[in-house]
Amino acid sequence: IGQIDASVKIDSLSDDRLPASFTSMPEGNYFAQVKKQGFVTWNKNFEVDSSRVSAWENILLIKKDISSRVATPEEIDQLNRQVNEPLDKTIIIKNNELWVGKLLVTRFSDNITNAIWYTDGAHIVYQIKNKIKIIEEDGKNETELVSLASDAPVTFRLLSRGQELLYHDGDQVLVAEIY
């Protein structure tokens, strides 16, 4: 997580310092949360057993109240640039299913219209109906980023190392600060 002003809680254990470390935990199933005021809480169920260490990287805390602004001409130029995906991890959309290679990430009741890798290569940003959302590669922690004016497919990209979402909405190109 790096040094941020957030807290982590694992069942009854908590630490207000990040990065956090919990040692000598008995075997069993646990529920972890990372909280920061003004951000969506990150959650994870996990199992502790004596044969492995559990560690999480690429925890992404998304703002609760995301606002958008009109994109600059320089930002608009970036919307049409090619997105480079990790060579070993291709996103596949099969109607309402999101796949990474041969692994199913998640399935929805509505069709997915577009998807790209987030800058960390561990999250997927996608459009479903009139929403652009983000989800972890394992299908957990789905979070809405922005609502669009219609269900029409839009083009979107990430700016500022993933801090901003650049997207079409109707006849406008907008930028949303997501973390």
Side-chain angles (χ1 to χ4, degrees):
I1 294 177
Q3 295 289 340
I4 62 171
D5 181 26
S7 64
V8 63
K9 183 176 181 180
I10 298 177
D11 290 343
S12 63
L13 305 171
S14 65
D15 195 334
D16 291 332
R17 296 171 296 124
L18 294 176
S21 178
F22 298 90
T23 59
S24 303
M25 294 176 64
E27 290 189 9
N29 294 310
Y30 293 88
F31 179 71
Q33 290 186 314
V34 177
K35 292 183 177 186
K36 181 176 180 177
Q37 186 171 4
F39 290 77
V40 177
T41 299
W42 178 89
N43 300 298
K44 182 72 80 178
N45 288 306
F46 69 102
E47 181 180 355
V48 170
D49 72 37
S50 60
S51 65
R52 66 175 179 219
V53 174
S54 293
W56 301 297
E57 296 177 338
N58 302 313
I59 293 174
L60 185 61
L61 298 179
I62 302 292
K63 285 184 174 183
K64 285 184 179 177
D65 298 314
I66 296 173
S67 59
S68 297
R69 62 170 172 80
V70 175
T72 66
E74 293 80 19
E75 291 167 332
I76 293 170
D77 287 343
Q78 294 185 40
L79 197 58
N80 298 318
R81 292 194 183 154
Q82 179 69 29
V83 175
N84 295 323
E85 285 193 0
L87 296 176
D88 60 340
K89 296 181 4 175
T90 301
I91 298 171
I92 301 167
I93 299 169
K94 295 181 182 178
N95 299 315
N96 66 333
E97 296 177 342
L98 196 56
W99 293 74
V100 174
K102 295 181 180 182
L103 298 174
L104 176 65
V105 174
T106 191
R107 178 179 294 126
F108 301 102
S109 57
D110 295 304
N111 286 345
I112 303 159
T113 54
N114 192 6
I116 62 171
W117 281 107
Y118 184 72
T119 56
D120 64 5
H123 294 80
I124 301 169
V125 180
Y126 64 95
Q127 181 187 353
I128 191 164
K129 295 186 89 171
N130 71 328
K131 310 276 187 212
I132 298 177
K133 300 181 176 189
I134 189 166
I135 196 167
E136 292 178 358
E137 183 178 12
D138 65 1
K140 306 290 188 219
N141 289 304
E142 176 191 44
T143 304
E144 180 180 323
L145 299 176
V146 295
S147 291
L148 305 168
S150 77
D151 292 355
V154 300
T155 302
F156 50 88
R157 299 284 180 264
L158 296 157
L159 303 175
S160 305
R161 295 183 310 268
Q163 185 174 355
E164 298 175 319
L165 175 71
L166 175 69
Y167 64 100
H168 270 116
D169 192 10
D171 60 351
Q172 290 188 309
V173 178
L174 302 172
V175 176
E177 188 175 324
I178 60 176
Y179 79 86

